[in-house]
Amino acid sequence: MKPEQLPIPEHKLHGWTHFAGLYAGEHVAATEFVIGATFVALGANTSDILIGLLIGNLLAVLSWTFITAPIAVQTRLSLYTYLEKIAGDSMTHLYNWANVLIFTVISAAMITVSCTAVRLLFNIPAQLEWYPTNSLFVAVVLAVGAIVVVVAMYGFDAVADFSGLCGPWLVVMFISGALVLFPALAESVLGRMRLNSLGEFITIGDSSIWTGVNSQGKPGIGLWEVIGFAWAANTITHFGLIDMALLRYAKRSVYGLCTSAGMLFGHYIAWIAAGIMGAGTAALLKLSIVELDPGDVAFQALGYSGYVIVIVAGWTTANANLYRAGLAAQAIFHNHSRMQVTATVGVITVLIACFPFVFSQMLPLLTYAGLLVVPVGAIVFSEHFLFPRIGLTRYWAHYRNLTHSTPAVASWLAGLVFAFGLQALQVMSFFYLFLPTWIFTMALYTFWASRAGAADDYTAELETDRKLDEAIREMQAQQAIDDGQPVVDTTLLSKALCVLAWTSLGLTLILALVVMFGSPDMVTYNKNVAMFYTWGFVFTIIYFVTSYWALRRSKTVHNDAVTAATSA
């Protein structure tokens, strides 16, 4: 059995700050520029955005906390390994291939998004065809993608470290971009650059951002659609349980609440900020928001730091999704290490990223991917939580040595037919289809499994499993002793570097506030914006240099301590 298929040992678990950084980095991403503009194009109004996104993202946080995290923490397994134990090889292989495809294309789309910023630096024309039309664009994709692949190859710690380093900066820059461009919006609506009340913010939003009218000039989506969009945006990872791969490293299931760093600071704030930035850029350039790509918007809001934010935001999401694709591929190719298969999948991902169609089709992909995965999440949820409570045996298919679980495969297919049947009949909003699909599949699988053998007695097999678990724990306990205790870097220089990094973020935000509240006229506004562009970029450099330096020092201190302990 490969190490990736074993439960995560106690000594490799992480605290809540790891997951806060990981989710902030992944969910404050380049896609937020796209989704922020999507709400504008769909015609939501301002109050529905402010209230609906808050409710929807809170529901997503609760889904991770009460569905995904408990299963991940109690089993310490990825979904792929868990599914193999309850559904057999045939369904697991099909499902893993589906996930390799889904996450490979998502990663490729994020790499392509990053390149929308880099292309501006080299005056590469916008790639409007489904295929690349510029050889230099292909070279940029290969260079940007190579970094994503290398980070994902080194596993969870590398992904978490990268996201943790980028997360705080991404949040600050999204907020700063909205602050910088809002006076321009205020001037275009109110005829002045300062707000006197919250009501004026609503007025500006309704007039120039979230107008309640979609891009075809018809009434747009309402509160329930906004809530559903925000909740359903990540069904593939919470109801679909894909994030078991990440949360299996959590010390406690309550760390599922750390997803709020991505949902509230990420999706909620970033989607609103992206809408403001897009509308502000459109007002300044006299264009429609649908004509702008992320690179255009970010540069107008943040100057040279805008190039960085699109690149980094694309990387953080691509890294996490390529890591997931590698796990799925490794579950298929048992004889190869996760690093090897991630490298192979990464090469394919970068090649796909050369074709711009993956970015333009990303939102439909995410929507359908959620419906594809949710029935499988329902099967795992019912097996893990419902079976022990109603007298059925968890892992019954594994105990019967089944390589093919008919109840699991049939329930998955029935769930897909049910979901897409509801969509075809248009009986409810598409954003909420995952809920009845999840319940339907869970009930169907429980019934069929009880008839197929889950209700039988497996006392002997359970005892064998218990002994195997004890042997694994003993082996991992010895491994913990061999690895030694983690050493925390408390040196003065490292503390100073962290203070300098956080100070640079604070100063960036202060500069943005100066633009927002210290620009009574257009002349002063332009002067303040120029100052923000210059010093914001300087502070960006300072943040990444000092943060990375501090990170490398902490790794060095830990490695030196391990070497000393081993020598002793």
Side-chain angles (χ1 to χ4, degrees), residues 36-50:
T38 298
F39 282 117
V40 177
L42 289 176
N45 65 43
T46 306
S47 60
D48 287 346
I49 286 292
L50 296 178

Side-chain angles (χ1 to χ4, degrees), residues 10 71 145 169 254 306 413 507:
E10 291 289 327
I71 302 177
W169 178 81
V254 73
L413 294 176
L507 291 174

Side-chain angles (χ1 to χ4, degrees), residues 65-386:
T65 304
F66 293 108
I67 296 176
T68 315
I71 302 177
V73 169
Q74 290 168 24
T75 64
R76 301 293 180 197
L77 299 174
S78 70
L79 174 63
Y80 314 110
T81 304
Y82 193 111
L83 192 61
E84 188 172 7
K85 294 182 70 172
I86 71 171
D89 291 340
S90 57
M91 177 178 173
T92 303
H93 281 193
L94 286 172
Y95 183 73
N96 286 335
W97 275 116
N99 277 285
V100 170
L101 175 63
I102 290 168
F103 291 121
T104 295
V105 175
I106 291 174
S107 298
M110 289 298 91
I111 293 170
T112 307
V113 170
S114 293
C115 294
T116 65
V118 181
R119 75 165 181 82
L120 296 175
L121 293 173
F122 296 98
N123 293 319
I124 300 173
Q127 302 296 292
L128 302 178
E129 302 293 338
W130 67 268
Y131 54 87
T133 58
N134 187 286
S135 59
L136 187 55
F137 175 78
V138 174
V140 168
V141 171
L142 296 178
V144 171
I147 298 175
V148 173
V149 175
V150 170
V151 172
M153 281 174 58
Y154 282 92
F156 178 84
D157 286 342
V159 172
D161 287 341
F162 187 81
S163 295
L165 187 150
C166 298
W169 178 81
L170 286 168
V171 173
V172 168
M173 297 310 288
F174 264 94
I175 295 172
S176 296
L179 292 174
V180 166
L181 285 183
F182 202 81
L185 273 177
E187 199 278 335
S188 67
V189 175
L190 304 176
R192 50 185 165 82
M193 310 193 77
R194 286 180 175 174
L195 300 184
N196 295 326
S197 67
L198 178 62
E200 291 187 342
F201 173 81
I202 303 295
T203 298
I204 293 172
D206 288 340
S207 300
S208 61
I209 311 173
W210 307 286
T211 61
V213 177
N214 64 25
S215 56
Q216 284 78 42
K218 299 178 180 179
I221 61 174
L223 177 64
W224 287 106
E225 285 80 9
V226 174
I227 293 173
F229 189 106
W231 192 7
N234 290 102
T235 48
I236 190 172
T237 54
H238 48 71
F239 268 79
L241 299 180
I242 292 297
D243 269 3
M244 283 177 62
L246 303 181
L247 291 169
R248 62 183 172 149
Y249 286 89
K251 290 182 179 179
R252 302 178 184 87
S253 60
V254 73
Y255 290 177
L257 292 173
C258 293
T259 57
S260 59
M263 294 301 99
L264 300 184
F265 290 99
H267 285 185
Y268 184 67
I269 291 177
W271 286 350
I272 292 173
I276 294 172
M277 284 190 280
T281 300
L284 289 172
L285 299 181
K286 310 300 182 184
L287 294 173
S288 168
I289 193 170
V290 297
E291 299 177 69
L292 305 171
D293 71 14
D296 296 322
V297 174
F299 177 73
Q300 192 66 41
L302 301 167
Y304 288 114
S305 296
Y307 292 134
V308 182
I309 193 174
V310 176
I311 295 170
V312 169
W315 279 346
T316 53
T317 301
N319 284 330
N321 283 294
L322 186 55
Y323 174 69
R324 294 185 180 109
L327 283 175
Q330 200 276 329
I332 298 170
F333 301 103
H334 296 292
N335 296 325
H336 299 276
S337 70
R338 189 200 56 78
M339 184 174 286
Q340 289 175 321
V341 295
T342 301
T344 303
V345 172
V347 171
I348 298 171
T349 299
V350 175
L351 293 177
I352 295 174
C354 295
F355 295 84
F357 80 92
V358 293
F359 167 55
S360 62
Q361 298 301 316
M362 185 178 177
L363 290 180
L365 169 68
L366 288 176
T367 304
Y368 288 109
L371 282 183
L372 179 67
V373 170
V374 161
V376 178
I379 292 170
V380 173
F381 182 88
S382 59
E383 179 115 8
H384 190 82
F385 282 116
L386 293 186

Side-chain angles (χ1 to χ4, degrees), residues 508-529:
T508 300
L509 196 55
I510 290 172
L511 284 174
L513 289 169
V514 169
V515 177
M516 174 74 177
F517 297 105
S519 304
D521 53 62
M522 188 59 72
V523 174
T524 308
Y525 172 73
N526 290 332
K527 180 180 177 181
N528 288 337
V529 168

